[in-house]
Amino acid sequence: MPILICGSVAYDTIMVFPDRFKHHILPDKVHMLSVSFLVPQMRREYGGCAGNIAYSLLMLGGDPLPMATVGQDFAPYAERLGKLGIRQECIRLLPEHYTPQCFITTDLDDNQITAFHPGAMSESHNNRFDHVDGISLALIGPDGREGMLARVRECRAAGIPFVFDPGQAMPLFNAEELLDCMLHADYVTLNDYEAALTEEKTGKTMTELAAHVKALIVTRGGDGSTIYAQGREIVIPPAKAAAVVDPTGCGDAYRAGLLYGIEQGWDWEITGRLASLLGALKIAQHGPQNHQFTRDSLKLAYREAFGGELPL
């Protein structure tokens, strides 16, 4: 059955500046800043949270259904999705816009200067999924503000269980809106920074919020994750990565494992460990959609990482 993944489908243009920004930005002149960086290295990656999650979920054997609004430059991405076999009936093309895209320049100290153009994502509230039957589960991830609020209402009305994952869109919501979305979700997932921001913004602790949902998941990067479920705090250990190359998209890979485990009805220990393993596999590759695995290789990697069997 299809799993609806609501969020961005975007291009990531990543450039490397072979020097340090601090050598070219004068602190006492930032009020009249005019700088140019020569970036000999550049690559363009397929990204966006919906596209990234769909990529890993498909390799797990799931049926991902990304839902996003895209623009006039979407053709290369559409071709890629077609070759992968990822469904596109909930991707809406708006030719008057560009596809969302992120431009990232990184220096030798791993400092980043980023510009994000939302493009068609600003019209995400005009997209629909009611023409698709049999949706078993949904994830509502970072997207246009009105689109995210609409998806919460629509999933509730349709009786579709959903994960609320505000991510970098969290500043778009006031405390009341954020709390309403979380309390009406079946599951909530946050990273540790977002969790702290949520507690500050809503006045609720993670334990208090977890009492209203089936599970609340907090990821902690290389320190693993914590799943608050059924009155328990389940500590999920990190899986050791073969190499630490690029963290972009690790959270999305984790969420693919989370969605698959929820749909399969697995316990939280197995689901969390699978999600952790996918994050470790992703971080060893550049870009959010270049890691690869088979079900057999994943079972072996799971056994080596955690000493148990993955019921794939």
Side-chain angles (χ1 to χ4, degrees), residues 282-297:
K282 206 279 10 128
I283 204 170
Q285 302 294 329
H286 282 294
Q289 295 183 29
N290 294 318
H291 56 293
Q292 295 184 352
F293 58 84
T294 65
R295 290 162 72 90
D296 286 341
S297 70

Side-chain angles (χ1 to χ4, degrees), residues 13-19 21 36-43 103-108 111 113:
T13 299
I14 302 168
M15 296 157 283
V16 178
F17 176 52
D19 199 342
F21 294 143
S36 177
F37 302 111
L38 179 66
V39 286
Q41 297 180 51
M42 186 185 85
R43 68 181 192 274
F103 300 89
I104 305 166
T105 304
T106 303
D107 76 356
L108 294 180
N111 295 310
I113 296 175

